[in-house]
Structure formats: structure tokens, C-alpha cells
Amino acid sequence: MSKIPVGILGATGMVGQMYVHLLSDHPWFEAAYAAASPRSAGKPYREAVAGRWHAPGGWGGAGELIVEDANDLSKALDARRRGRCAFVFSALEMGKEETRRLEEAYAGAGIPVVSNASAHRWTADVPMLIAEVNPHHADIIPAQRKNRGWDTGFIAVKPNCSLQSYLTPLWALMEAGYEIKRLTVTTMQAVSGAGYPGVPSWDMIDNLVPYIEGEEEKSEREPLKILGAIKEGVFVNAPGPVISAHCNRVPVTNGHTACVSLEFGAKKPSIEEAKRIWAEFRALPQERGFPMAPPQPIILREEPDRPQPRKDRDAGKAMAVTLGRIRPCSVLDLRFTGLSHNTVRGAAGGGILNAELLTHKGYLG
Ligand code: NAP
């Protein structure tokens, strides 16, 4: 099978670099178009990222791509005509309104957008996908196209990176028949989550910052859309669980950690039953063998001091959630610590897995 040529908007940033790196040996997709701000436009990719390359390994064949201005849609349309841009991954960091307009312009011109940006997460007909949790939400795409008069284009997004460390484990318990009524989550989020150069070193060394703008609202609200239903061509949020979030920035390079305490409905699993559900959890990406899918989406650690970012963030191709410290909670029912890689599972790897899901469903390629 020849590879599908894809574009990356924001290709020079922290997430864009991870896309370029992960796509350098992807069996279905190849990075064939790169775009960023006017500051990078016109430069070969390797020159545009010189001195600020933070992804592991290299950029494969993308080094010689000439970076285009992401605001200039005509360049992407020209690349599409030349068979170089079947769809785009959006990893733009710009104003929310500007991002919303730009992503709509690409989709309206026929170029599907698989986005990491938050601009469209609350748009009523845009799916917010975690491939293991709500793959069926992709099936709103025909209604989205109809609502907007789009033919081949559409927008699909992934949620905030802080959710990835705990929402899949919560979903595994819910799918096994356990209602979760409410939970508290305290996240300890890596500096790479703020992009590059991100938080000043003076604020991070020998310190932590107990505030990330907008993050607690995202952590509390986005799960309700992901767990929600499609009704008459739009999403209706799930009524619960009620979530209380504390989000902290900590001096870790990669890997978001989340400490969760949760309360079940009337039916409560034992600790051993919860562990069994998590260890055995598999979903569509595993069943279909999607290239970016971790073979085991939830990995359990029994050691009392795990998971740890440096030791566990790369588990399962950096796409797995590692859980540990699973024990009874003296206030609610059960508590655990979850960890996932924020720029892979929480950003570029999660975006690629969503594109694999959308390809499998026939919406891409
Ligand atoms: P970043 O390192 O700051 O990179 C931003 C990218 O956007 C760069 O390629 C930059 O191009 C481009 N850009 C900035 N202003 C632009 C403009 N006016 N026009 C066109 N392009 C412009 O940010 P990031 O951490 O990669 O985040 C990218 C997106 O992913 C954001 O929406 C973020 O919220 C989301 N996200 C990030 C993470 C994470 O862990 N970092 C996780 C999930 C989601 P230049 O290099 O030319 O300036």
C-alpha cells in the first residue's frame, strides 16, 4: 500500500516536531507538507527547527521540505493538487478564534483536519476522540459535513493532554458496568505541555506552579463530551461523573501524572476486580492492530513507588497509560496514580491514532 501524504500545521513546534518524528517511519502516513508561522515560512524544515529540535531521534525525510505559511491556504491546496497533502494534522498555537477560523477554512476547502488545538473541542458537531474510549463519535462526520455543506473536509479533535492519564482507566471501569459518580484528580504536568520555550526556567527550577490557565476547566468538562452521546447530529454531554481538578506544572520534561480518588455508584468493584478490568482492557485500536496503538493500553505496576515519569512515560510505545498505587480511598472508594506521555499519547501519537481510526472508518485516504 502506498503511504497517504499528510500535512502538519505547526510542524516546527513541540507537538509538530513529535508528529514529524513519529511519521518518519509510519506504515500508513508520510509527512509530505509542513507549515508554521510566517517566521518559519520559506525555510527548509531542518533550518526552521535548528537549535530547537526537542523530539527524540530525527526528522526522517522531512528535513528538506520547505515550510509554508499555515495561514496561506492556497499553498496547502496546491500541495493537495500535487498529491502531497491528503489531510492535515493541526498543531497550531495561536489565538483560539484564529485557529477556529483557519481549521474551518481548511475543512471547508476539502482538506480534513485532525487537530490537537482546543479551538474546536466544544463545537457541537466536532468529535473529540480518544480512540479506545469513544471511536463511535467519529460517525458524526457525515452530519458535520451536511450541517456545513462540506464535501470531503471535516474537523476531528483530540482532548487536552492532562485527561489521558486517567480517562481511559475510568472508561474501562464504566464499560465493565461500574457507575462513577464523582472524583477528584490532582495532575502534575510536564513543562513540554506548555510548548517551547514554554514556562520560564526561573519559574520551574526548584519549584512547581499550582496553576495552569484553563486546564482545570478542561479536565472537568472535556470528559463529559467524550462520554456523551450523539443526538440529532450534535453531541449531548454525559451527566457525570462530577470532577474536581487541581492542575500543577512540575519540573518534569515529559509525562503527565494524575492522582485520582473516585466514588462509585451502588455497585463497587473490589481492588482486585478493578485491577483485573484494567489489565484485561482492550479496545478497537488493539483489536484492529492500528500501528500507533499500544498492545496493552493500561499497564499496571505493583511497586509502591510507581508510576514515575522518567521510568514509565515510554511504556507501550509511549502510548500506554501506566497505573499504580491502586488502593482503597478513606474518603471516597478507590484511588490510583496514572501516568501518560503528554507529547506522544497526549498530543502527536494520540492524533496519529485518531487518524488511523478515521482511515479505518473510511473518512480519510
Ligand atoms: P508550540 O511549541 O508553541 O508550537 C506552536 C506552533 O504553531 C509552531 O509551529 C509555530 O510556528 C506555530 N504558530 C505560532 N503562531 C502562528 C501563527 N500566527 N500562524 C501560523 N502558525 C503559528 O506549541 P505546542 O506545545 O507544539 O502546541 C501546539 C498545539 O497543540 C496547541 O494548540 C496546544 O494547545 C496543543 N497541545 C499541546 C500539547 C503538549 O503537550 N505540548 C498537548 C496537547 C495539545 P513557528 O515555529 O514558526 O513560530
Side-chain angles (χ1 to χ4, degrees):
M1 173 175 121
S2 60
K3 293 190 187 182
I4 300 173
V6 306
I8 303 161
L9 311 181
T12 51
M14 189 68 80
V15 176
Q17 292 179 17
M18 191 59 87
Y19 270 116
V20 169
H21 167 66
L22 293 173
L23 291 173
S24 65
D25 61 356
H26 192 276
W28 296 5
F29 309 132
E30 69 172 317
Y33 180 78
S37 80
R39 295 179 288 278
S40 304
K43 297 178 187 166
Y45 184 73
R46 57 178 161 66
E47 197 183 302
V49 294
R52 56 171 173 148
W53 177 259
H54 291 286
W59 45 66
E64 299 310 316
L65 293 175
I66 299 297
V67 180
E68 303 290 355
D69 178 356
N71 303 284
D72 188 349
L73 178 58
S74 69
K75 301 282 189 196
L77 288 172
D78 185 47
R80 189 173 70 146
R81 270 190 295 277
R82 291 183 291 109
R84 308 298 293 156
C85 184
F87 69 92
V88 291
F89 291 108
S90 168
L92 293 166
E93 177 65 72
M94 50 202 275
K96 203 166 260 192
E97 199 44 52
E98 283 171 282
T99 309
R100 195 176 292 141
R101 274 202 302 271
L102 198 55
E103 291 184 346
E104 284 178 3
Y106 276 76
I111 301 177
V113 179
V114 180
S115 182
N116 284 77
S118 61
H120 271 295
R121 289 192 192 141
W122 284 100
T123 306
D125 59 0
V126 169
M128 178 155 50
L129 301 170
I130 297 180
E132 282 90 351
V133 175
N134 61 340
H136 57 290
H137 280 193
D139 297 323
I140 200 167
I141 286 170
Q144 183 195 112
R145 285 175 168 156
K146 188 162 171 250
N147 293 344
R148 292 148 184 275
W150 294 345
D151 49 11
T152 54
F154 65 84
I155 300 171
V157 302
K158 60 171 294 311
N160 185 262
C161 48
S162 64
L163 266 61
Q164 322 285 323
S165 308
Y166 57 95
L167 191 56
T168 305
L170 297 182
W171 166 246
L173 296 171
M174 294 165 84
E175 196 190 31
Y178 294 100
E179 182 200 359
I180 296 173
K181 289 177 73 173
R182 54 189 183 138
L183 61 115
T184 66
V185 55
T186 300
T187 65
M188 287 153 284
Q189 301 185 206
V191 288
S192 58
Y196 182 81
V199 190
S201 54
W202 266 107
D203 291 331
M204 287 318 305
I205 295 171
D206 187 30
N207 203 19
L208 69 76
V209 181
Y211 174 69
I212 306 174
E213 190 183 350
E215 207 79 351
E216 289 170 356
E217 294 77 2
K218 291 174 190 167
S219 301
E220 292 175 356
R221 290 181 60 217
E222 290 182 10
L224 303 182
K225 180 171 180 182
I226 294 166
L227 299 172
I230 301 173
K231 287 206 178 115
E232 293 169 11
V234 294
F235 287 103
V236 178
N237 285 355
V242 178
I243 302 175
S244 170
H246 298 267
C247 294
N248 305 284
R249 186 73 71 198
V250 296
V252 163
T253 55
N254 282 301
H256 287 356
T257 306
C259 294
V260 176
S261 284
L262 60 90
E263 181 182 49
F264 293 106
K267 192 174 145 207
K268 301 178 196 295
S270 66
I271 297 293
E272 288 316 311
E273 171 67 353
K275 285 185 180 177
R276 186 193 62 76
I277 291 167
W278 284 327
E280 291 177 3
F281 177 73
R282 302 288 185 278
L284 182 77
Q286 286 71 39
E287 286 155 15
R288 298 303 160 108
F290 294 166
M292 202 67 217
Q296 186 174 338
I298 301 173
I299 294 173
L300 303 189
R301 302 291 316 204
E302 292 295 345
E303 303 93 319
D305 60 352
R306 303 284 281 273
Q308 295 179 19
R310 230 174 40 218
K311 294 178 180 170
D312 296 306
R313 62 190 166 209
D314 292 327
K317 302 186 275 188
M319 288 292 285
V321 180
T322 301
L323 292 194
R325 311 227 57 231
I326 303 160
R327 60 210 195 282
C329 174
S330 27
V331 177
L332 300 175
D333 290 320
L334 180 148
R335 53 188 155 161
F336 66 86
T337 299
L339 169 82
S340 67
H341 196 301
N342 55 297
T343 55
V344 183
R345 168 49 96 166
I352 294 171
L353 185 59
N354 282 348
E356 291 169 359
L357 168 71
L358 293 160
T359 304
H360 165 77
K361 283 181 169 280
Y363 297 118
L364 287 175

